Amino acid sequence: AAAVRRTILRQLRALEQPDDLLLIAFVGHGIPLAGDKRDDVLLATADLDLAVAEIDVSDCLSTSWLLQRALQHDKPGSV
């Protein structure tokens, strides 16, 4: 998940022109966390360890992380 997050952040930084576009597509499984009140879903990357994710989601790729980074994007271009 860390490699995917780094790639997304790198691509967000590369948006320079107003007509630049970053399309993020994920093909895989989404895993809702049991008892999670944020309605967050983990995107199951190849290195996802569910046992660890149930304790600490900071090393996972989640929909909330993705939305937060995309919505905070302040450079020209669209996400």
Side-chain angles (χ1 to χ4, degrees):
V4 175
R5 286 195 312 269
R6 281 192 304 272
T7 300
I8 291 170
L9 292 173
R10 191 175 317 115
Q11 295 302 317
L12 284 169
R13 285 192 301 270
L15 296 176
E16 297 180 358
Q17 302 300 318
D19 60 345
D20 285 349
L21 174 69
L22 175 61
L23 174 65
I24 301 171
F26 180 80
V27 178
H29 296 281
I31 303 168
L33 293 176
D36 187 19
K37 293 179 176 57
R38 298 172 296 158
D39 295 326
D40 203 4
V41 175
L42 298 181
L43 302 178
T45 55
D47 61 346
L48 177 65
D49 183 337
L50 283 176
V52 173
E54 289 177 355
I55 298 168
D56 180 15
V57 297
S58 65
D59 193 39
C60 301
L61 181 60
S62 67
T63 54
S64 65
W65 182 91
L66 189 57
L67 288 172
Q68 180 182 24
R69 295 309 181 276
L71 293 175
Q72 287 183 349
H73 176 70
D74 59 357
K75 292 180 74 176
S78 300
V79 180

